[in-house]
Amino acid sequence: MAKLVRTEEEVMLADAARGFLDQAAPVAHLRGLRDAGQTQDRALWSEMAAMGWAGVLVPEEAGGSDMGHAAACALAGEMGKTLVASPFLSTAVIAATALRQVSDARAVQALARIASGEVTYALAIDEGVKFAPEATQMQARADGNGFRLNGEKRFVVDGANAERLLVLARTDAGLTLFDLPADRDGITREGQAMIDSRDAARIEFSDVAATGEDVLGQVDDAMTVLAPALRAGQAALAAEMAGLAAGAFGMTVEYLKERKQFGVPIGAFQALQHRAAHLWCECEVTASAILNAGRMLDEDPENAALAVSLAKARATDTAQRAVQEGVQMHGGIGMTDAFDMGFYMKRARVGAEWLGDYGYHANIVAQARGF
């Protein structure tokens, strides 16, 4: 069984990340980006890359630190606490994990560019209103020695700013994953502002040419490459949601200590104490589920799907509970845009949908348990 205690290195990494992000990217930083009509801060991402965060899952021979998925989750959790907007999940976790499944020189070069912060990726798989990669209908028609891609992808997180796209399409006998430059002829991106002030896009592919070199992995066998990347992304997103819950909870506890009614802090009222204690317990259990998912991805990746889905389902539920309690216990100010709790609520809503919602992952857990 995976040991549910962070290693000394993971603790040091999380502490260092917290110290940096509190100064460089507090919630006020996200508010400033939103007010300026921006969705990412490339200078901030360059700083993260300089500290090695972009290469947390990149092998050392490609210039990364190769610290593993538990470490990536530790970083994602710290980012969640202050709602950091960055391409970390799409690029450093999902794309890096996908590229690691391929051993050719091109993949190694791409990993090196990720680790250096030179390139960012977006994952273009969703076509409907729900996460369902196996139901992909976008066509990649054989054309000589290559392919022609036609179709549309929705809810492409980081898709408006990314330099490269991982695109899932249906070929003759299955699904194929393509690694394409975002500015290739025939690709049209329409940026869409999400409620959490992050970057997303709707992308149209009109007779886009792709060669065999653009295929990541094998033709008709996308899931061999994509499935490990999705699990890595789901675990890291769960960690971010847990960090979000911890951030919202910490803000709420501070308010309970400061706000007075009838001459005493409202945190002295037993009813509010019970609600806060229950939320703390939920956060702790979820943190354990996420650490277990990270350990499973590092130690037994072939059997990590259940642990990852459990972590994503729990983190989704805990984050939504944390922001709902936060808004209610803050009273009227919890509903105002001037107060930061609303940013936590909006991010929790988007995070709940990306890479599979609660129902998607709860169904995987239920099936594994024979229900």
Side-chain angles (χ1 to χ4, degrees):
M1 177 178 289
K3 187 176 181 181
L4 299 183
V5 178
R6 280 185 173 177
T7 65
E8 183 178 349
E9 291 79 7
E10 290 163 358
V11 171
M12 292 175 62
L13 179 65
D15 288 345
R18 181 78 276 119
F20 170 74
L21 294 173
D22 281 344
Q23 295 296 319
V27 181
H29 180 262
L30 177 63
R31 182 184 293 276
L33 289 176
R34 185 205 63 175
D35 292 347
Q38 300 175 4
T39 54
Q40 286 186 9
D41 183 345
R42 294 307 293 262
L44 176 64
W45 178 241
S46 295
E47 290 185 69
M48 292 179 179
M51 292 187 294
W53 296 6
V56 67
L57 295 177
V58 174
E60 293 181 3
E61 57 267 28
S65 57
D66 200 12
M67 293 186 68
H69 293 281
C73 287
L75 287 173
E78 296 305 317
M79 293 181 197
K81 291 178 181 176
T82 53
L83 307 179
V84 178
S86 82
F88 178 76
L89 292 180
S90 297
T91 301
V93 177
I94 297 174
T97 302
L99 288 162
R100 287 194 65 157
Q101 310 308 308
V102 184
S103 57
D104 59 29
R106 177 179 170 279
V108 173
Q109 292 174 356
L111 284 166
R113 296 181 70 198
I114 286 176
S116 68
E118 180 182 349
V119 66
T120 59
Y121 276 80
L123 182 64
I125 56 175
D126 288 330
E127 295 177 0
V129 296
K130 291 293 183 181
F131 174 77
E134 295 84 357
T136 292
Q137 295 301 311
M138 179 175 166
Q139 297 295 311
R141 175 176 48 83
D143 181 38
N145 293 326
F147 301 88
R148 290 284 176 174
L149 279 65
N150 287 279
E152 179 182 284
K153 296 293 183 180
R154 302 177 181 178
F155 192 31
V156 182
V157 176
D158 298 323
N161 290 311
E163 285 89 14
R164 299 193 69 85
L165 304 171
L166 293 182
V167 184
L168 185 63
R170 189 164 296 279
T171 42
D172 287 342
L175 296 173
T176 301
L177 189 64
F178 296 88
D179 181 354
L180 303 174
D183 60 356
R184 179 161 291 180
D185 289 346
I187 296 178
T188 304
R189 296 189 285 179
E190 179 185 347
Q192 298 177 323
M194 294 194 292
I195 60 170
D196 64 348
S197 306
R198 309 298 178 92
D199 165 17
R202 184 172 65 86
I203 304 180
E204 291 186 5
F205 297 79
S206 179
D207 217 27
V208 176
T211 68
E213 291 186 355
D214 295 320
V215 174
L216 194 58
Q218 301 295 319
V219 174
D220 298 326
D221 189 26
M223 297 313 291
T224 296
V225 173
L226 184 58
L230 290 176
R231 289 194 290 268
Q234 288 158 348
L237 179 58
E240 185 194 328
M241 293 296 99
L244 180 156
F249 176 70
M251 185 184 300
T252 301
V253 169
E254 287 303 312
Y255 183 75
L256 295 180
K257 292 177 180 178
E258 296 172 359
R259 176 73 167 90
K260 291 186 177 181
Q261 192 169 6
F262 307 115
V264 297
I266 62 174
F269 301 151
Q270 193 174 59
L272 295 182
Q273 291 178 354
H274 287 172
R275 290 167 65 176
H278 178 67
L279 180 55
W280 180 85
C281 292
E282 291 294 314
C283 289
E284 289 297 302
V285 173
T286 297
S288 294
I290 289 163
L291 187 53
N292 179 58
R295 289 281 182 268
M296 288 293 292
L297 286 170
D298 286 330
E299 300 168 9
D300 190 9
E302 296 300 320
N303 296 303
L306 175 59
V308 169
S309 284
L310 177 62
K312 179 60 165 65
R314 275 212 60 93
T316 294
D317 183 67
T318 301
Q320 292 181 334
R321 184 189 301 272
V323 296
Q324 288 166 3
E325 288 283 43
V327 168
Q328 290 183 26
M329 286 195 270
H330 276 86
I333 65 170
M335 298 297 295
T336 65
D337 182 72
F339 194 71
D340 289 340
M341 187 59 71
F343 283 86
Y344 285 89
M345 176 168 278
K346 293 172 184 176
R347 179 57 181 167
R349 189 68 193 91
V350 173
E353 292 295 326
W354 191 29
L355 301 178
D357 61 11
Y358 180 88
Y360 178 92
H361 290 285
N363 185 56
I364 293 175
V365 175
Q367 290 181 348
R369 297 297 174 90
F371 296 117

